Structures are given as structure tokens and as C-alpha cells.
Amino acid sequence: MKAFVAGSSVIRAMFEEGKKMASVYGAENVYDFSLGNPNVPAPEAVNKAIIDIVREEESVFLHGYMSNSGYEDVRKVIADSINKKHGTAFDEKNIVMTVGAAGGLNVILKSLINPGDEVIAFAPYFGEYRSYVGNYDGNLVVISPDTETFQPKFDEFEEKITAKTKAVIINNPNNPTGVVYSEETIKKLADIMEKKQKEFGTEIYLISDEPYRELVYDGVKVPYPTKYYANTIIGYSYSKSLSLPGERIGYLVIPSEVSDFEDVSSAANVATRILGFVNAPSLMQRVIARCVDAEVNIKPYNDNRELLYNSLLEYGFECAKPQGAFYLFLKSPVEDEKVFVEAAKKHHILMVPGSSFACPGYVRIAYCVSHDTIKNSLPAFKELAKEFLG
Ligand code: PLP
């Protein structure tokens, strides 16, 4: 019990600290960049759908149990929408509705992993992957970060794949760097994994965690990975793409081309139930059926990204310009980024240390906050630059 509490999310702890600081200094005087909680409202179509559904749909159906994998018509609508956008050929049997991306990842890891299996992730990675893999007695194997590009280190990846490797998790666009893996990157990963499957005579599943797929800037394209590697499973979520993180709704795509499709799909159905989710929230599923192509306005994120990135560079900080998501991964001006994080707190700035993402020496700034918060935080960042960079 103590071990998992100790290992639990630093991000959540900082969020709680931010709330405390706000009660002491006033919310407008605290620059809380700790949590990826979208501040752009959900599209109006979502709120309208909730009201219409409650009025129009039959109550027993709306609030009842359903197949573990979700309402068939909702899954069909989602499959059609993916096919239209990405030129794929999925139908409802390829979609499992999930309790957000976190629920989806747990369902698929429960389905695939035997105790002792290895799951590879590329640092910096979303820290909860370690807990999710640990939930099923798997071992997380980490590929060290390439801090020049934050793209995967292919040589190290190839070396670390073993006969025990069951899955590889990627996150595109990436939390915490905002980097997008290009088509070339996905193709290279696919080539290496094909080669290793043949070498070991095993199945190695690519799990693509994609809650930020829709949040990209400057026309950057996020490749659809099922097109490049047959054993791909996608975990999608509406938490960020429709600003609905508290509603807990997402889905898994399990293509028919995946090895042992029937078994994997049946296992995901059972896992959804026995992990205690039973099924994804019914009202939200019905909302997605009506709002599958709705979009949040990403302009406020883009405005924040431009102002923050340009200002931090002007003050002398270093960071790669994020292409997607709503995070900026800043190089700490001192080796121990926790010293920098503590110093920033004195200026009421809350950021997450890179070590929470297996990438010390960096800090994550979640810029899904009001534009005023960004503007008002700039003098404090300037002061920090003076303190650390002279
Ligand atoms: N994966 C990544 C990379 C995330 O950043 C998050 C949430 O921040 C999740 C998964 C969990 O998302 P959800 O709220 O959809 O469960």
C-alpha cells in the first residue's frame, strides 16, 4: 500500500499544492502549469447533445447496462468516422468503448500481458505507464531519451527488444514534449518490430496512446499507425480532444489484422468488465454518437504556445517548439531540475519535474491555462531567468 502511494503521481500532488497556494495568495497570483486539465470549454454541441439525449432517448436504454464493449451503434459511428478521416476499414467489432485513455490502456495491458512480460516505453513518457504495466505484473523497459529531437532512439530500441517483449507503447503527440512522431518515425519503428517478431517468432503489439491526436499546430500531420504495422492497437480519448476529462470516455481500436484478433478482442471485452469498469459511461457514449466529429477550438492553446515559447526563448531558456498537445518541455538551467522547480514555486510558478517522465534535467509546463495566466507569469519567468542564467 505504502509503495504505490509513494510512487503515485507527482503531477496530482502538485495540482493539490497549487490549489493550496491559490487559497493563500489568490488564484490570479498563482501560475499553475502542473496539470493537463483542458481550459478550453467542450464544444457547445456536446452540452446540447446531453440535454437532447436526456429528453429524447428512452431512459431504461440510456441508463442501462450494455455489451461490455459499448453500444453497437456508437462503435459503428466511431469506426465510420475513423475510416473517413484516415482511409481505414474498421467496423464496430474493431472498437471497444473505454473509460478514457487510462481505462483503455489498462484494458489492453490486462488483455495482453502475462506476469514477467516486458513492455517498452520511450522516455520521456507519461509516468503512469509504469503503474499500468505493474498492475498486471509486467516489467516496463525504458528507452533513454534523445534530448536533441525527443524522437525514439532506434538503436537502443532494437537492442532492448527481447523474446519477452509483449508490447511497445508510444504516445503521439507526446506528453510531456509536445513532439509529434512523423510518418518516417512510425515506419522505422514498424520495420524494427517486424524484424524482431520474425527473429523471436513472437507477437509484439504496438500500443499507440493518442489522447492528443486532434491537438496539433501549424498543419502537422499525425500518422495513423495501423496503416504501417498490423499488430497496432490504438487507445483514443475524448478527455482532451473534446475537453471532457472528468466524463471518462474513450475507445480502443483493435484492427482485424491484429494477430489473434478474436482472442485479443474477447479478452478486452472481459477485461473491461473484470477491471470493474463494466462498460464506459453510457450517457457519454450516446453523446459521442451525436458529436463524433465535433472539435474544440485549439486557437487558445496555439496562442499560449506562441507567447510562452517565444518569451522563454527571449529570456534565455532552451526548449523544442511543441508541435502538438499542450505541453512545453523546458531545459532546466541547472542539472537538478527539482532545484529549479522549487525556486519557481517561490515565484508562484508550478511546473512538473522531468524526472516524473524519466527525463531529469527538464521541466514540463502545461499551457492549457488562460492566456492571462501566461501573460501574468512572464515577469516571474524573467526573474527566474535572471536568477539562473544571469
Ligand atoms: N495518456 C497520456 C499520455 C496522458 O497525458 C493522459 C492524461 O493526461 C492519459 C493517457 C489519460 O487520459 P484519460 O483522461 O483519457 O484517461
Side-chain angles (χ1 to χ4, degrees):
M1 192 161 68
K2 286 203 167 83
F4 81 70
V5 172
S8 86
S9 174
V10 174
I11 303 172
R12 281 271 151 189
M14 294 205 71
F15 178 62
E16 295 305 329
E17 194 170 345
K19 282 202 296 192
K20 249 187 236 154
M21 281 173 77
S23 69
V24 177
Y25 304 111
E28 69 287 2
N29 299 316
V30 176
Y31 315 116
D32 186 351
F33 299 109
S34 62
L35 194 65
N37 204 5
N39 76 315
V40 169
E44 193 38 46
V46 167
N47 292 336
K48 180 175 182 311
I50 293 171
I51 294 164
D52 291 350
I53 290 164
V54 172
R55 287 192 180 135
E56 292 165 15
E57 298 195 13
E58 203 247 311
S59 174
V60 172
F61 171 73
L62 175 59
H63 301 304
Y65 286 129
M66 73 212 61
S67 305
N68 302 348
S69 53
Y71 292 113
E72 209 164 295
D73 63 325
V74 178
R75 291 186 284 127
K76 172 87 175 100
V77 166
I78 290 172
D80 289 347
S81 165
I82 299 171
N83 295 341
K84 210 165 67 197
K85 282 187 193 150
H86 303 294
T88 46
F90 302 125
D91 64 29
E92 59 274 22
K93 71 172 183 301
N94 301 115
I95 308 292
V96 177
M97 299 308 295
T98 63
V99 178
L105 290 171
N106 273 279
V107 162
I108 199 61
L109 290 168
K110 170 77 179 162
S111 305
L112 295 177
I113 291 182
N114 291 313
D117 280 351
E118 292 172 356
V119 176
I120 294 180
F122 298 91
Y125 64 85
F126 179 56
E128 291 187 2
Y129 292 162
R130 182 170 291 283
S131 307
Y132 300 165
V133 170
N135 283 346
Y136 313 106
D137 296 324
N139 296 320
L140 191 75
V141 174
V142 178
I143 310 300
S144 63
D146 173 348
T147 52
E148 288 294 307
T149 63
F150 290 112
Q151 295 280 333
K153 275 189 184 165
F154 297 106
D155 291 351
E156 188 179 331
F157 177 49
E158 195 161 346
E159 276 162 28
K160 286 193 172 162
I161 299 178
T162 71
K164 286 190 183 167
T165 306
K166 183 56 70 69
V168 175
I169 306 182
I170 57 169
N171 169 217
N172 203 23
N174 185 266
N175 172 9
T177 62
V179 158
V180 171
Y181 287 1
S182 63
E183 183 181 36
E184 193 194 344
T185 296
I186 301 292
K187 278 185 178 161
K188 267 197 200 165
L189 290 175
D191 287 348
I192 293 169
M193 290 171 70
E194 293 286 5
K195 191 170 111 187
K196 289 288 173 182
Q197 286 193 137
K198 283 203 189 95
E199 183 182 328
F200 294 117
T202 53
E203 305 297 342
I204 307 174
Y205 295 91
L206 178 66
I207 301 173
S208 189
D209 178 24
E210 303 189 350
Y212 303 98
R213 167 168 281 283
E214 264 50 79
L215 308 187
V216 282
Y217 313 106
D218 304 330
V220 168
K221 294 267 177 295
V222 184
Y224 209 73
T226 58
K227 293 182 178 170
Y228 305 92
Y229 185 68
N231 269 342
T232 299
I233 291 159
I234 292 181
Y236 187 88
S237 165
Y238 295 97
S239 294
K240 322 285 169 159
S241 65
L242 288 184
S243 293
L244 297 172
E247 302 292 356
R248 315 305 305 134
I249 187 75
Y251 60 80
L252 288 169
V253 181
I254 307 177
S256 305
E257 293 72 26
V258 158
S259 301
D260 307 316
F261 168 74
E262 293 298 337
D263 288 341
V264 175
S265 159
S266 308
N269 264 275
V270 174
T272 297
R273 185 163 188 91
I274 65 174
L275 289 176
F277 302 125
V278 180
N279 54 251
S282 56
L283 175 59
M284 283 304 127
Q285 290 192 48
R286 307 295 329 146
V287 168
I288 297 305
R290 295 183 186 218
C291 301
V292 73
D293 293 322
E295 289 174 357
V296 290
N297 175 16
I298 62 167
K299 186 176 179 301
Y301 297 142
N302 194 29
D303 292 347
N304 287 354
R305 177 185 77 125
E306 293 290 351
L307 177 61
L308 192 59
Y309 173 77
N310 291 328
S311 307
L312 292 174
L313 248 54
E314 186 193 315
Y315 305 153
F317 290 110
E318 281 176 53
C319 73
K321 190 168 189 182
Q323 301 167 288
F326 38 48
Y327 305 108
L328 192 143
F329 208 47
L330 190 73
K331 189 165 195 283
S332 165
V334 282
E335 201 180 323
D336 182 354
E337 86 280 9
K338 288 183 183 148
V339 170
F340 181 53
V341 166
E342 286 307 312
K345 273 187 205 162
K346 297 202 178 97
H347 296 270
H348 303 176
I349 293 178
L350 291 170
M351 308 178 286
V352 181
S355 38
S356 304
F357 307 94
C359 191
Y362 288 78
V363 294
R364 189 192 76 172
I365 301 175
Y367 58 81
C368 45
V369 295
S370 75
H371 202 59
D372 279 348
T373 300
I374 305 271
K375 271 202 261 179
N376 297 339
S377 72
L378 294 179
F381 275 115
K382 205 169 183 176
E383 280 301 310
L384 271 175
K386 268 196 220 140
E387 259 173 59
F388 282 90
L389 300 164

